């Protein structure tokens, strides 16, 4: 057991963010003693509400403090009362870019055939991981507008890929594939976007270093189609920031909804950020019906990342058991259970597992 308690930064954020974060922390509190791990939480108030009330956004100096933590957890961000993108850029983008979290790891896994909107699909058909590049592409914010508001307006956003950024992402994906079913699919749009050819070239160049991994490449439009018509063809998908954003909402849908999907924003070896992939869902905020499954699963990813495999696995198994048995009928707001009920069920399941380890 590690001497020092882990220090975990928590940003509950906006809308349903605080609700699902409480449940993720409830489950952490259940798993930690069983795994013999100690931790300390450092809560950060960055949210649209704070910005609206006091005009405060996350200062860039917060990044220095985050570097001293073991990991960060984020609930959700976004509020219709704040200008679009302000809070997302001030918190999420600043952390992703500032801490150079170049991998966005997004597993897509189906726990029960009843959860997916797809027909004739078994859980074993949907088991993939999307490795989304997380610091480049149109997300770098390069571009702008000219003659704004006139008929001659020009709006430009540059899609940026660096050799270093592409290569480190591909290498991560190759290694991940080597630990799974050894199949890696590059998804791009290199036929229409010539700059994306850098992904194909780099893949071909480094592939011989990973002889056990079979590779293929697919355009993003075809990949979207196959995720729906034949998801079993995918093991690890590696893709650009924007395409990864889009494909992982699709991935969440085929595994049963946005409420159940989790992600890790990683810089392997350094402090990383874990979050459910859903947003702040202002329409259901405060109603107590949001699914905490994505947030709880993100907590499991966090624990796995910091090396607490046992705690991570217990949570993962508990979530899988509750969803596959139908005791939690869905990972969305229509499960008929409250956010708190689902969180408590997962925490109880973890405790029971500890009481009877087999
Ligand atoms: C995600 C989100 C973000 C993104 C938004 C909130 C900027 O959709 O994490 O997938 O586009 O990366
Ligand atoms: Mg998204």
């Amino acid at each position: 057991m590690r001497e020092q308690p882990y220090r975990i930064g928590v940003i509950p954020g906006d809308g349903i963010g605080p609700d699902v974060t409480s449940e993720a922390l409830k489950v952490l509190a259940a798993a930690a003693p069983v795994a013999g791990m100690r931790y300390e939480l450092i809560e950060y108030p960055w949210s649209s509400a704070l910005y609206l009330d006091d005009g405060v956004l996350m200062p860039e100096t917060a990044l220095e403090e985050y570097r001293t933590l073991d990991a960060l957890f984020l609930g959700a961000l976004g509020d219709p009362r704040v200008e679009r993108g302000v809070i997302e850029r001030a918190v999420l983008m600043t952390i992703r870019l500032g801490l150079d979290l170049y991998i966005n790891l997004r597993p897509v896994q189906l726990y029960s055939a009843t959860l997916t909107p797809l027909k004739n699909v078994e859980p074993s058909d949907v088991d993939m991981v999307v490795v989304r590049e997380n610091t480049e592409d149109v997300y770098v914010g390069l571009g702008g507008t000219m003659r704004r508001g006139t008929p001659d307006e020009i709006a430009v956003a540059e899609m940026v890929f660096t050799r270093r950024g592409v290569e480190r992402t591909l290498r991560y994906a190759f290694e991940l594939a080597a630990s799974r079913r050894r199949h890696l699919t590059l998804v791009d749009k290199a036929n229409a976007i010539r700059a994306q050819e850098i992904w194909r070239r780099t893949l071909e160049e480094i592939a011989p270093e990973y002889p056990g991994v079979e590779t293929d490449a697919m355009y993003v439009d075809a990949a979207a189609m196959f995720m729906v018509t034949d998801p079993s063809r995918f093991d690890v998908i590696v893709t650009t920031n924007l395409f990864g954003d889009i494909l992982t909402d699709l991935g969440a849908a085929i595994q049963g909804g946005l409420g159940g999907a989790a992600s890790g924003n990683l810089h392997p070896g350094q402090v990383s950020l874990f979050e459910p992939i859903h947003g702040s869902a202002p329409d259901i905020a405060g109603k107590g019906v949001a699914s905490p499954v994505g947030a709880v699963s993100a907590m499991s990813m966090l624990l796995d990342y910091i090396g607490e495999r046992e705690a991570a696995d217990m949570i993962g198994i508990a979530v899988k058991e509750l969803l596959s048995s139908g005791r939690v009928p869905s990972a969305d707001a229509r499960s008929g259970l409250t956010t708190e009920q689902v969180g408590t069920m997962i925490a109880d399941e973890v405790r029971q597992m500890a009481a009877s380890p087999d």
Side-chain angles (χ1 to χ4, degrees):
M1 179 169 135
R2 180 175 125 137
E3 277 298 309
Q4 294 290 328
Y6 291 97
R7 295 174 66 239
I8 302 172
V10 179
I11 307 171
D14 296 325
I16 62 170
D19 308 356
V20 298
T21 299
S22 318
E23 300 313 308
L25 295 177
K26 185 192 279 177
V27 174
L28 171 65
V34 182
M37 86 172 252
R38 291 184 304 134
Y39 63 94
E40 186 181 299
L41 300 174
I42 298 104
E43 196 169 314
Y44 297 96
W46 324 127
S47 66
S48 299
L50 178 72
Y51 177 61
L52 287 167
D53 291 348
D54 301 334
V56 175
L57 288 171
M58 185 186 92
E60 286 227 20
T61 50
L63 294 174
E64 281 315 308
E65 191 174 326
Y66 299 159
R67 288 195 183 94
T68 70
L69 303 173
D70 292 293
L72 278 160
F73 183 90
L74 171 71
L77 293 168
D79 185 313
R81 295 170 299 168
V82 175
E83 193 193 329
R84 199 194 323 279
V86 168
I87 194 86
E88 293 89 333
R89 281 195 296 275
V91 182
L92 189 56
M93 294 299 140
T94 303
I95 297 176
R96 283 180 183 168
L97 298 185
L99 298 180
D100 194 27
L101 306 178
Y102 64 92
I103 297 295
N104 197 324
L105 191 65
R106 299 188 156 186
V108 178
Q109 214 179 342
L110 179 65
Y111 290 144
S112 158
T114 59
L115 298 170
T116 182
L118 304 181
K119 275 189 286 186
N120 307 324
V121 162
E122 292 305 315
S124 59
D125 295 327
V126 182
D127 180 8
M128 63 187 100
V129 182
V130 178
V131 175
R132 166 186 176 190
E133 197 289 323
N134 208 33
T135 55
E136 303 194 335
D137 200 347
V138 284
Y139 282 78
V140 297
L142 212 60
T145 55
M146 266 175 80
R147 308 190 195 109
R148 198 182 165 92
T150 74
D152 299 318
E153 178 164 350
I154 302 173
V156 177
E158 299 281 4
M159 208 172 238
V160 175
F161 306 105
T162 65
R163 168 65 195 224
R164 200 187 304 277
V166 169
E167 186 173 332
R168 64 184 180 172
T169 306
L170 288 171
R171 288 192 183 280
Y172 182 91
F174 265 112
E175 273 158 33
L176 180 64
S179 74
R180 291 175 45 96
R181 299 195 305 278
R182 294 186 293 283
H183 185 224
L184 177 62
T185 304
L186 168 63
V187 172
D188 63 27
K189 189 68 189 174
N191 53 348
I193 304 170
R194 285 206 52 198
Q196 292 197 354
E197 215 231 340
I198 189 174
W199 285 87
R200 301 257 167 157
R201 262 187 292 117
T202 311
L203 179 87
E204 275 165 30
E205 210 178 293
I206 67 173
E209 294 177 48
Y210 306 90
V213 177
E214 189 195 333
T215 64
D216 60 4
M218 206 182 270
Y219 300 131
V220 64
D221 45 356
M225 173 189 69
F226 283 127
M227 278 176 70
V228 171
T229 58
D230 187 13
S232 69
R233 68 165 62 216
F234 299 109
D235 175 16
V236 176
I237 291 178
V238 63
T239 190
T240 62
N241 204 342
L242 180 63
F243 296 160
D245 176 45
I246 300 165
L247 289 182
T248 53
D249 269 29
L250 179 57
I254 67 173
Q255 78 174 16
L258 216 44
S263 70
N265 299 261
L266 318 176
H267 185 125
Q270 295 183 20
V271 59
S272 294
L273 168 76
F274 298 82
E275 50 169 347
I277 84 166
H278 62 68
S280 58
D283 53 325
I284 55 165
K287 296 194 174 149
V289 294
S291 172
V293 168
V296 169
S297 301
M299 186 58 80
S300 167
M301 290 180 78
L302 181 155
L303 290 166
D304 187 63
Y305 182 78
I306 62 176
E308 291 294 328
R309 273 292 286 281
E310 190 190 349
D313 288 350
M314 281 193 310
I315 297 174
I317 293 167
V319 167
K320 185 174 179 176
E321 165 58 27
L322 290 168
L323 283 171
S324 57
S325 65
R327 283 160 62 204
V328 172
S330 74
D332 58 21
R334 288 177 294 274
S335 68
L337 298 165
T338 66
T339 310
E340 279 184 36
Q341 282 172 328
V342 175
T344 301
M345 286 168 80
I346 302 170
D348 287 347
E349 190 72 20
V350 165
R351 279 193 210 94
Q352 266 173 33
M353 220 181 291
S356 51
D358 308 313

